[in-house]
């Protein structure tokens, strides 16, 4: 794929960080957290080595349902575990880190959110913060698929190379990314329409500086009521334009001479234009699993946390996960979430003398 990218004018780099990400874009072998053929999670890297420490308890299969308050001070959490509701008190403060879907859900169920929306569900309002659950962002993704001439055994993460590029020459930084996947994959709609081959590879494209914004809302007051996700992917016309440019670039690279020996045929989308291409992209649209920004940091009326991750209007409560990002990063979100966690740890150590 790196040779194919070079053939259309995309420079290659030693890795996808630094010069490549902060410049005009490029192609590289992917940086992935892989050890002995297995991808490593943040939990495996940070927490697992300390599972035997007496001051650490990891409780799996537990659902945090709401925060416990004394006035506007958070004193602990309520959780559902092993068929029962439990209360866990906090000696100093509570740090929420369940991610950009569950963090706003817990906040809203606890009475922190838009006052009118909470009152409609009969949830007592603790703090009116209309930005909770708003500003939802994700990297919308779409698949271009080729059938293998001869199947190759998958390796490591099954996604070994990537490129970042600009959908328009007037942009200052890249706004689209594609990863090469060593398996055939697509949305349910396009899988049914085109049919996935038994063996193949995919150029998994994405719009990485989206202008579309979605929102989350509670469907009921019960913690087990599901949350409604209105992702609003591709709702902004600029995102659709970027997606079209990304698919066209993927097809140019995927059908290049460098990759021809590995392609028996192009499965999808084929040489389609105009409304047909837009339809393919909308049917292909799926998450890149980079959901963020639903409890953003800032100083405007829609902000939820301040620069030290404190939730506005209540005390002894912070948020430390991807929901605090004002906008989704131009790139994968794992490393930024690690940085958020590291900075949260610094703040806690300094403020509490740990």
């Amino acid at each position: 794929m790196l040779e194919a990218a070079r053939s259309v004018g995309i420079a290659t780099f030693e890795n996808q960080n630094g010069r490549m990400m902060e410049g005009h874009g490029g192609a590289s072998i992917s940086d992935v957290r892989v050890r002995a053929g297995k991808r490593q999670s943040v939990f495996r890297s940070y927490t697992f080595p300390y599972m035997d420490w007496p001051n650490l308890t990891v409780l799996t299969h537990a659902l945090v349902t709401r925060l416990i308050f004394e006035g506007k001070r958070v004193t602990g959490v309520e959780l559902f575990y092993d068929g029962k509701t439990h209360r866990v008190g906090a000696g100093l403060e509570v740090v929420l880190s369940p991610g950009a879907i569950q963090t706003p859900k817990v906040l809203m169920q606890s009475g922190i959110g838009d006052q009118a929306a909470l009152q409609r569900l009969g949830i007592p309002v603790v703090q009116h913060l209309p930005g909770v659950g708003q500003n939802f962002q994700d990297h919308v993704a779409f698949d271009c698929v080729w059938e293998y001439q001869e199947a190759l055994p998958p390796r490591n993460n099954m996604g070994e190379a990537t490129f970042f590029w600009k959908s328009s020459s007037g942009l200052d930084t890249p706004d689209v990314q594609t990863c090469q996947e060593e398996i055939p994959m697509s949305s349910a709609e396009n899988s049914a329409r085109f049919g996935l081959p038994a063996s193949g590879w995919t150029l998994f494209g994405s719009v990485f500086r989206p202008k579309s914004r979605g929102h989350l809302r509670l469907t009921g007051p019960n913690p087990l009521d599901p949350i409604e996700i209105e992702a609003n992917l591709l709702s902004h016309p600029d995102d659709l334009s970027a997606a079209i440019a990304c698919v066209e670039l993927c097809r140019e690279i995927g059908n290049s001479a460098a990759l021809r020996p590995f392609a028996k045929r192009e499965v999808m989308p084929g040489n389609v234009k105009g409304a047909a291409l837009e339809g393919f992209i909308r049917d292909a649209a799926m998450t890149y699993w980079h959901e963020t920004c639903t409890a953003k940091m800032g100083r405007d009326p829609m902000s939820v946390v301040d620069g030290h991750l404190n939730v506005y209007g209540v005390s002894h409560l912070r948020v430390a996960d991807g929901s605090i990002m004002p906008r989704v990063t131009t790139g994968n979100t794992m490393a930024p979430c690690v940085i958020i966690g590291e900075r949260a740890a610094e703040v806690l150590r300094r403020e509490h003398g740990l």
Side-chain angles (χ1 to χ4, degrees), residues 99-101 103-104 291-297 319 321-326:
I101 306 298
T103 283
E291 299 91 345
T292 47
C293 307
T294 51
K296 74 170 186 172
M297 178 189 294
V319 175
D321 59 32
S323 64
I324 67 129
M325 297 180 187

Side-chain angles (χ1 to χ4, degrees), residues 43-66:
F43 172 82
R44 173 65 60 168
S45 301
Y46 272 75
T47 310
F48 188 78
Y50 305 104
M51 288 286 283
D52 59 346
W53 282 27
N55 61 343
L56 171 67
T57 299
V58 177
L59 193 63
T60 60
H61 304 289
L63 176 68
V64 176
T65 55
R66 56 174 57 92

Side-chain angles (χ1 to χ4, degrees), residues 16 27 70 103 113 169 174 186 206 222 230 234 238 243 272 317 354:
Q16 67 196 59
E70 289 181 4
T103 283
S169 60
S186 189
S206 178
N222 190 308
E230 185 63 57
L234 297 173
D238 288 355
V272 293
L317 175 65
L354 302 175

Side-chain angles (χ1 to χ4, degrees), residues 117-352:
L118 297 176
Q119 288 175 338
R120 279 196 297 270
L121 295 173
I123 297 174
V125 178
V126 175
Q127 179 63 37
H128 173 60
L129 283 180
V132 174
Q134 302 299 308
N135 195 43
F136 176 90
Q137 295 171 51
D138 193 4
H139 292 144
V140 58
F142 27 82
D143 300 295
C144 302
V145 179
W146 285 260
E147 185 176 8
Y148 267 128
Q149 284 275 18
E150 183 177 339
L152 299 176
R155 298 162 290 172
N156 285 342
N157 195 46
M158 296 189 291
E160 304 295 323
T162 186
F163 65 81
F164 287 77
W165 204 239
K166 300 176 184 179
S167 64
S168 169
S169 60
L171 296 173
D172 54 348
T173 59
D175 66 329
V176 296
Q177 182 193 6
T178 296
C179 288
Q180 186 178 40
E181 310 290 347
E182 298 177 345
I183 55 172
M185 55 183 284
S186 189
S187 65
E189 292 85 350
N190 280 341
S191 294
R193 176 184 170 192
F194 292 92
L196 286 179
S199 66
W201 49 275
T202 302
L203 291 182
F204 191 51
S206 178
V207 176
F208 259 51
R209 289 172 62 187
K211 295 180 180 178
S212 302
R213 300 290 184 266
H215 59 267
L216 312 178
R217 64 165 64 95
L218 298 180
T219 61
N222 190 308
L224 297 181
D225 292 329
I227 193 163
E228 181 181 288
I229 305 171
E230 185 63 57
N232 255 352
L233 302 177
L234 297 173
S235 58
H236 195 288
D238 288 355
D239 292 352
L240 182 59
S241 297
I244 290 170
C246 186
V247 168
E248 290 174 339
L249 179 58
C250 286
R251 293 196 65 243
E252 186 177 7
I253 290 174
N255 291 319
S256 67
L259 286 170
R260 202 166 295 145
F262 303 97
K264 182 177 180 180
R265 66 185 177 100
E266 180 185 354
V267 177
M268 66 178 87
N271 189 23
V272 293
K273 303 290 183 183
L277 179 54
E278 291 184 13
F280 167 81
I281 290 170
R282 292 195 180 279
D283 283 344
M286 65 174 72
T287 179
Y288 221 96
W289 305 286
H290 294 165
E291 299 91 345
T292 47
C293 307
T294 51
K296 74 170 186 172
M297 178 189 294
R299 297 180 178 178
D300 63 80
M302 296 301 287
S303 296
V304 177
V305 301
D306 64 18
H308 290 110
L309 308 178
N310 297 295
V311 175
Y312 285 117
V314 298
S315 66
H316 298 78
L317 175 65
R318 296 182 213 259
V319 175
D321 59 32
S323 64
I324 67 129
M325 297 180 187
R327 70 172 181 85
V328 66
T329 48
T330 307
N332 291 50
T333 51
M334 175 180 169
C337 285
V338 169
I339 292 168
I340 292 167
E342 290 275 12
R343 292 304 302 271
E346 290 175 8
V347 170
L348 292 170
R349 289 184 64 180
R350 182 174 64 249
E351 292 194 10
H352 299 299

